[in-house]
Amino acid sequence: MVERLAFRCLIFFAFIAVNVAGAHADGSLALSGRQLDPLRVEKIGDYVRNEIAADHFAGAVVLVQQHGKPVLLQSYGVRDTASNAPMTSDTIFRIYSMSKPITAAAVMMLVDDGKLKLDDPLAKYIPAFADVKVAVTTLDGKTMQGVEPLARPITIEDLLRHTSGITYGFYGDTAVRKLYAASNLFDGEIDNATFVDRLARLPLAEQPGTKWDYGHSFDVLGRVIEVISGQSLYQFEKQRLLDPLGMNETTFGLADPSQRGRVAEPLPQYRFFDRPVAGLDDPIQRRKWQSGGAGMIGTIGDYGRFLQMLLNGGTLDGRRYLNSETVALMTRDHLNPAIAHDNLYFPGPRTGFGLGVAVRTEATPPFATGEYRWSGAGGTFFLVDPQDDLFVIMMVQAPLGRNEIEVRRLVYEALAP
């Protein structure tokens, strides 16, 4: 017990030393009405240790931060059962769709710069989408009956809120998803330009603005960033966001093979990196294609700095990355009642979608209205609660779902009035 307490203290102060903690834009630490009880937060550790003992995953790192300071930063288990290397806070994880909020922030930087508008048509930047067709299917979506022209253009906002009609081909059984899966989208050593050109030849699953449909929209946004900036997606993000924030471990693929031992691996029964997810066999492998929707790897410390910047309203350590109004715009619901949901609406009940993140629209105690969150296919997830001035990240390589639900519940139960 004493060793574990000493270890936690060492990690806590090390985390402070690398400046993961941050203040609000005015330099103060604004206090909310509810404070995290450190003793209750400890229940998260009990849960994680039990999951490891039950062979649900090999190890994890959890960060719970409130008012700019860690309440819990703890590593559990091992990175990889093959090496038995202990899990540490600098472990590298495949974050898959947790790439999307980073891409969204980069897009909104261009909006703040005046180089892009949310109502801009996508075809302004990628002309191939001017004539894209929309699939006409049976009511259940399983049979394609033909195609029809766009009722209106795809906009940048459509891409950010997943209402572009662009879907994924690795889940579901609709005719369009099957067509995506059977296409040559990922053949060869592609780059973002090649990928988006191929995507534009496929029909949309539905008319833009009519349905929330999870898909390659953020990969298309990555190409939009390249067209506007004249840089690769990673070059732009590195220059404007990653390097200034100190997110030095967040990238597309592992550049240095000597760091391979720092990578977390799932248990053998849960290995899913040997088959494509969103077109990626394994995000650890470096490639030309920089998937803005699913291609990044990173550490919990890096992502903590990114979330603290958002929680601060766009600033960290005295530097502004996004206008406060822009962060507010990103983290409010953008789905109007006319936009349909289906049984694959991943944000879940009582939740809308902003620009890159799911947003809770209805309080169901202990969960708060305005909480925003997202997760990745590798099991990683985060939530940000502006009302209680906190965020939570769990980095793990395990099937997604169960861990997020339970850790979120334990965090909110640890809030005391």
Side-chain angles (χ1 to χ4, degrees):
M1 178 64 74
V2 173
E3 290 179 353
R4 192 167 74 187
L5 180 59
F7 180 64
R8 286 175 182 166
C9 290
L10 283 171
I11 289 182
F12 176 86
F13 288 113
F15 205 52
I16 293 294
V18 297
N19 295 317
V20 174
H24 278 188
D26 62 359
S28 67
L29 293 175
L31 300 179
S32 68
R34 301 193 297 179
Q35 305 299 307
L36 284 168
D37 180 336
L39 293 178
R40 294 183 189 175
V41 171
E42 285 290 330
K43 292 181 180 180
I44 296 171
D46 295 337
Y47 165 75
V48 173
R49 281 185 284 269
N50 287 338
E51 291 293 286
I52 293 171
D55 276 342
H56 292 153
F57 49 81
V61 189
V62 180
L63 170 61
V64 181
Q65 185 154 304
Q66 188 175 37
H67 310 319
K69 296 181 182 294
V71 179
L72 174 71
L73 172 61
Q74 184 65 57
S75 304
Y76 308 89
V78 298
R79 289 174 177 165
D80 182 0
T81 53
S83 67
N84 215 35
M87 185 68 75
T88 57
S89 59
D90 69 344
T91 296
I92 297 168
F93 292 85
R94 303 160 177 87
I95 65 172
Y96 281 105
S97 286
M98 277 172 53
S99 307
K100 290 179 172 73
I102 295 174
T103 303
V107 168
M108 298 309 288
M109 290 177 119
L110 292 173
V111 172
D112 282 350
D113 291 345
K115 297 179 179 179
L116 181 66
K117 294 188 293 185
L118 293 182
D119 60 358
D120 279 347
L122 171 59
K124 178 179 178 180
Y125 306 101
I126 306 176
F129 281 97
D131 297 319
V132 70
K133 303 302 181 185
V134 181
V136 178
T137 67
T138 53
L139 192 59
D140 61 6
K142 294 185 178 181
T143 303
M144 187 179 299
Q145 299 173 315
V147 295
E148 63 184 9
L150 289 168
R152 69 155 175 81
I154 302 169
T155 66
I156 299 302
E157 182 183 31
D158 284 323
L159 295 168
L160 284 163
R161 67 183 184 178
H162 291 295
T163 59
S164 65
I166 297 168
T167 192
Y168 274 139
F170 73 92
Y171 73 93
D173 61 354
T174 65
V176 176
R177 290 188 181 122
K178 288 180 178 179
L179 182 61
Y180 274 50
S183 74
N184 68 339
L185 276 174
F186 312 109
D187 289 357
E189 185 61 68
I190 60 173
D191 59 11
N192 286 6
T194 301
F195 174 73
V196 167
D197 181 63
R198 290 176 179 177
L199 192 64
R201 299 173 191 171
L202 297 174
L204 302 180
E206 53 272 325
Q207 289 286 351
T210 62
K211 186 177 182 181
W212 191 92
D213 195 339
Y214 200 49
H216 286 291
S217 288
F218 279 77
D219 295 318
V220 177
L221 285 168
R223 180 56 185 161
V224 171
I225 290 170
E226 292 182 339
V227 171
I228 294 173
S229 69
Q231 300 174 287
S232 73
L233 174 59
Y234 179 58
Q235 286 171 338
F236 179 83
E237 291 181 336
K238 182 175 171 62
Q239 178 182 329
R240 292 289 303 274
L241 189 66
L242 302 177
D243 280 358
L245 272 174
M247 297 175 67
N248 301 316
E249 306 273 15
T250 303
T251 183
F252 294 95
L254 194 66
D256 184 354
S258 70
Q259 298 301 303
R260 190 65 178 78
R262 291 176 53 203
V263 176
E265 298 292 351
L267 292 171
Q269 65 265 36
Y270 296 134
R271 292 202 183 274
F272 44 85
F273 307 125
D274 58 351
R275 64 180 183 273
V277 176
L280 298 165
D281 293 324
D282 186 348
I284 291 298
Q285 305 302 319
R286 206 159 180 85
R287 53 177 57 79
K288 284 185 180 179
W289 181 38
Q290 296 172 358
S291 168
M296 302 195 93
I297 60 174
T299 63
I300 201 165
D302 276 15
Y303 218 90
R305 290 187 62 79
F306 175 66
L307 294 185
Q308 188 66 58
M309 179 272 290
L310 293 179
L311 187 54
N312 290 353
T315 68
L316 189 67
D317 298 336
R319 177 167 180 159
R320 179 162 292 282
Y321 296 85
L322 291 164
N323 292 334
S324 58
E325 298 85 358
T326 300
V327 175
L329 185 67
M330 292 173 64
T331 57
R332 69 169 175 81
D333 182 28
H334 283 252
L335 301 184
N336 61 58
I339 295 173
H341 302 171
D342 62 14
N343 62 347
L344 294 176
Y345 180 66
F346 300 126
R350 295 173 291 280
T351 303
F353 202 82
L355 305 179
V357 290
V359 182
R360 178 168 284 274
T361 55
E362 180 184 334
T364 52
F367 303 113
T369 304
E371 166 210 80
Y372 56 93
R373 62 187 185 275
W374 205 238
S375 53
T380 61
F381 71 87
F382 74 85
L383 71 86
V384 179
D385 181 349
Q387 179 177 305
D388 295 304
D389 194 26
L390 66 84
F391 69 79
V392 180
I393 311 171
M394 183 172 179
M395 292 293 202
V396 65
Q397 306 285 231
L400 182 64
R402 169 189 169 95
N403 303 317
E404 178 178 3
I405 293 168
E406 187 64 15
V407 171
R408 285 177 62 228
R409 182 185 67 79
L410 289 169
V411 167
Y412 277 102
E413 287 181 352
L415 282 166

